[in-house]
Structures are given as structure tokens and as C-alpha cells.
Amino acid sequence: MAHSLDILGGISAERFLAEYWQKKPLLVRNALPEIAQILEPKDVLELALEDNVTARLIKQKDRDPKQWTVKSSPLLKADFQKMPKLWTLLVQAVDHYSFDLAELWKQFSFIPQWRRDDIMVSYAQKGGSVGQHFDFYDVFLVQGYGHRRWQLGQMCDADTSFVEGQPLRLLPEMDVHFDEVLAPGDLLYVPPGLSHYGVAEDECLTYSFGFRMPNVTEMMDRVTDKFTDNPLLKNPLTDILRDQISAIGQVTENELEYLKEKLFEQLQNSTVLEDAIMSLMSEPKYPDNIPEAEEIGTGDLEEALDQGYQLMLEPASRLLYTEQDGDILFWANGEGICISDEFAVHLKTIADGQSLALDESLYDADILEDIAMLLNESVLILVPTEAE
Ligand code: SIN
Ligand code: CO
């Protein structure tokens, strides 16, 4: 029997995926109690002021709370002066700043890593919200501190209209059928398109574990990029076989078919398509969050073997693989990477979310070179075992 998961309130991952994922909301009380200890409101305020952090400060006018303003990062101390009664601070990718938060992704391992977006945190005082809205994302909203009242309403789609003249895509109304207050550790899964409205009941932090999907435009863009890299495709095509004379203003059906065929021939090249898709899906959302690595050589690694270190994925980096005819192919941070067969099995476990002990079993020139390369590119990080 499929085993039940506490984070899903005792139902199995299989049942969650079949019945709820992308379809309907799920409320789980006390799903992730450990999240309560990680950040406090003051930490979020400090983080929002740091360089490179992506944050937004959303305010509602005291005179007319239907008037919203949004200030995007970089945020300055001055932005927090003369605050109205109702405001919300949103900070993206907090999982890149806290290992403890990044660790919590493991609780969602029933969804593959390539679907992950980031963990956003929202901070508000009583009454603060980001308004009634919907997202095109799957999101697990987890209460981290204080309380937030969540209302859920109708399903929306690309045709749904928004309140005019506001800097946020707000819904004019919501047909509320769910109304619950979440306390620290409580979780609410909201599928894409479902309207939702979360209002702080007191000083509160709410985490959004967001999941992304590529869109066709992005995929097309990457495919185009890959073809642009091929100089052979820059040569003009040979002409169609001309056995008839046509009107000079016309492009005949035949001619169009011929040109389309030439395009399709390339698009049938599955290696290029796979490379384009894998590159896109391994692109980091916030490349600036990837720290510059300290240069390390294979000699340093040799010395570090058996000294109590672990190799882990850098939280802001992305590492994905596909398996084809027994070969494992890797992409990291938007590019295909080449590593030795010996290391591939190990790297696969890291991509699957585990850490890898840096011990004698990795004592091999090729493996150490691969590890050094991945550390120098900040795809992997080396952490002391007890700090893991
Ligand atoms: C919030 O936490 O206030 C916003 C999260 C969301 O509605 O997606
Ligand atoms: Co939302």
C-alpha cells in the first residue's frame, strides 16, 4: 500500500497527485511544524534590504485601501518609513538564504525538482494582504509565524478580468467557499487558477512553496537559441526543383511546403530539442543568488577526503538529468555538463536531493576533477557534515 505522508495530512502522495494536484485545494493542520522556528519577522525585514534580494513592498492607501502601490527591490530603509496601516512585504527565494528552508523542499519530494520555483515569504501586520487574486502556479502556502485567514473562491483562467488601474492583478470579486485561519505549521495547497485571499490576523509570516512550468514561448526561444548556434544552418537552402513557371508575386503551395519541410526536418532533431528543454528547465530563477565559489583544485579535494565533508547542491543552483539508453545526461544552471561515467551515478543522487559524503570512495582522478569543476561553478557546495 502507498504510504501516507504527514505533510499531506496522512494521505499518500499518489492519492494527493490523483485527486488534488492541479485540481483542488487541501488544508493540512500542523503539516510542517518545523517551519515555525526558521525565520522571524525581523529576519525578513533585514533580508529585504540586502543586495540582490528580489522583494516587493505592497501598500494600501489609508484613505482608500482599494488603491494599491507596489515598490520592487532594491528596497531601502526609507521605503519602510511612513507606512500605511495595511502593507505586505514579499521576499522571493528565501530558500537560497536559509539551508533550513531549502531542506524543507525534501518534504515535497513527490514533485520533481524541475517543477520547483522558489520559496517566497510574505510578512504583514494585522489586516495586510496582497488582495484577492489567482496565480498560474501550484503553491503550498505554509504558515510560519502568527496567523493568516485564507479564503478561497472560484476557478479563474486567462479570460478572467482584473480590477482596472491597479499595479496588481486583483479580482473584483470572490465567490468564497473556504474560510479558515492558518496557524504556524499549517499548510494549504492552492491549485493553479483558484482565487485566493490571505489576510494577516496578527503579525505574520507565510511561506509560498511555488512550482513552475515552462511555457511554449520560452521553450521556442531556447530551441531558436540552440539552432542559432549551428553555423551550417546559416547557409541558404538549395532551390526547389523548378519544372513549372508560376506567377511572380506568388509563393506556391509547393514552395511553402518545401520550406516548411526544411524547418520540420530540423525540429525532428530530438537531441537539439532535448538540449533546449533541459537547458531551460535547469535555468536558475535568480542567478545572482548563486555565490561565487572559492577556487578549489583536485589537490585540495584529496586532502579533504574523509575529513567530514559532504557535497550538496547549491540551493540557488539547478541540476537535472535525463537517462537515455543507459546514459545519464546532466544539465546545470542552463547548460549541458560533461562528467565522467564514474561520477555520474554519484551526481545523480545529489540531483535527487541527497548529500554525498566526500570520502575514499570518491578517490579517483576523473571524479575529483568533476567535483572540482562543479564546485568552482557553484553547482555543488562542500559543507562540514555536522552543518548539513
Ligand atoms: C501571501 O502570502 O500573502 C501571498 C501568497 C499568495 O497569495 O500567493
Ligand atoms: Co497567490
Side-chain angles (χ1 to χ4, degrees):
M1 207 186 83
H3 58 275
S4 61
L5 291 180
D6 289 344
I7 192 159
L8 297 174
I11 67 168
S12 68
E14 289 79 1
R15 182 163 162 217
F16 173 75
L17 295 175
E19 290 178 28
Y20 295 90
W21 183 245
Q22 300 245 294
K23 295 188 189 81
K24 60 181 189 189
L26 176 68
L27 170 67
V28 181
R29 296 284 180 198
N30 209 28
L32 210 55
E34 59 270 45
I35 205 168
Q37 271 76 46
I38 302 181
L39 294 182
E40 290 190 16
K42 67 170 180 7
D43 303 321
V44 177
L45 272 179
E46 278 170 23
L47 200 54
L49 295 170
E50 274 184 28
D51 289 345
N52 290 331
V53 166
T54 305
R56 283 166 291 165
L57 181 59
I58 297 173
K59 296 177 183 170
Q60 289 173 264
K61 293 228 156 82
D62 282 336
R63 264 180 298 113
D64 179 6
K66 287 203 167 99
Q67 299 297 320
W68 300 73
T69 58
V70 179
K71 170 81 192 332
S72 295
S73 49
L75 296 177
L76 307 168
K77 272 213 168 112
D79 295 314
F80 293 87
Q81 253 117 53
K82 286 206 244 125
M83 293 285 269
K85 189 169 162 283
L86 303 178
W87 57 269
T88 289
L89 172 64
L90 303 174
V91 182
Q92 297 294 148
V94 277
D95 46 333
H96 299 170
Y97 297 94
S98 156
F99 274 125
D100 293 333
L101 274 173
E103 275 291 298
L104 294 181
W105 276 118
K106 289 198 176 141
Q107 305 279 341
F108 298 89
S109 53
F110 47 89
I111 307 292
Q113 206 218 122
W114 69 266
R115 292 282 275 106
R116 280 182 205 165
D117 198 16
D118 67 338
I119 306 176
M120 177 185 88
V121 67
S122 72
Y123 171 31
Q125 302 272 2
K126 186 176 166 56
S129 87
V130 301
Q132 303 178 343
H133 69 282
F134 76 96
D135 305 297
F136 285 104
Y137 285 155
D138 296 274
V139 66
F140 292 91
L141 300 161
V142 186
Q143 194 58 26
Y145 185 100
H147 300 80
R148 188 182 287 271
R149 176 179 178 185
W150 283 101
Q151 294 183 323
L152 303 177
Q154 71 280 21
M155 270 300 202
C156 304
D157 57 31
D159 296 329
T160 303
S161 43
F162 303 110
V163 177
E164 273 175 33
Q166 295 302 315
L168 295 166
R169 295 183 316 157
L170 300 170
L171 297 169
E173 59 227 5
M174 239 176 75
D175 185 3
V176 177
H177 60 78
F178 171 106
D179 193 341
E180 297 280 347
V181 174
L182 270 66
D186 292 351
L187 167 152
L188 176 63
Y189 165 68
V190 179
L194 187 68
S195 53
H196 51 281
Y197 182 37
V199 183
E201 290 272 294
D202 43 32
E203 183 177 50
C204 93
L205 297 182
T206 306
Y207 296 91
S208 296
F209 290 73
F211 289 83
R212 68 178 185 181
M213 267 304 264
N215 62 45
V216 175
T217 305
E218 288 171 318
M219 289 199 287
M220 292 272 202
D221 274 353
R222 295 319 180 282
V223 171
T224 310
D225 291 347
K226 297 287 173 194
F227 284 125
T228 313
D229 292 344
N230 182 348
L232 289 179
L233 300 180
K234 296 208 163 62
N235 295 334
L237 298 166
T238 49
D239 196 7
I240 191 171
L241 184 70
R242 298 211 169 267
D243 49 8
Q244 268 170 23
I245 300 205
S246 53
I248 61 165
Q250 187 190 14
V251 179
T252 64
E253 228 181 293
N254 230 0
E255 287 172 318
L256 267 181
E257 279 311 312
Y258 169 75
L259 295 173
K260 268 163 48 189
E261 194 48 46
K262 289 290 168 195
L263 268 184
F264 291 142
E265 254 170 44
Q266 291 303 321
L267 291 172
Q268 300 294 334
N269 183 337
S270 71
T271 315
V272 175
L273 288 198
E274 278 157 27
D275 183 25
I277 296 170
M278 292 298 292
S279 300
L280 170 65
M281 294 193 313
S282 69
E283 267 172 24
K285 188 174 180 198
Y286 299 103
D288 288 347
N289 287 355
I290 302 176
E292 188 87 30
E294 263 179 60
E295 196 66 24
I296 194 164
T298 50
D300 305 315
L301 284 174
E302 245 173 79
E303 273 171 39
L305 287 179
D306 290 320
Q307 299 287 311
Y309 287 100
Q310 307 264 332
L311 285 164
M312 278 173 59
L313 183 62
E314 152 58 42
S317 285
R318 283 178 191 267
L319 173 68
L320 299 173
Y321 65 89
T322 59
E323 281 181 287
Q324 270 159 17
D325 311 320
D327 281 338
I328 314 175
L329 307 174
F330 290 91
W331 278 258
N333 295 338
E335 286 181 44
I337 53 170
C338 223
I339 54 151
S340 64
D341 290 345
E342 290 73 34
F343 190 52
V345 278
H346 298 291
L347 192 59
K348 190 176 141 178
T349 62
I350 299 179
D352 285 336
Q354 288 169 39
S355 49
L356 181 72
L358 189 72
D359 61 23
E360 283 294 325
S361 68
L362 302 176
Y363 187 71
D364 170 283
D366 288 341
I367 292 185
L368 293 183
E369 239 171 65
D370 291 337
I371 296 175
M373 182 263 291
L374 293 166
L375 288 171
N376 289 328
E377 299 204 345
S378 293
V379 175
L380 300 184
I381 49 170
L382 204 51
V383 287
T385 300
E386 53 293 350
E388 191 209 345

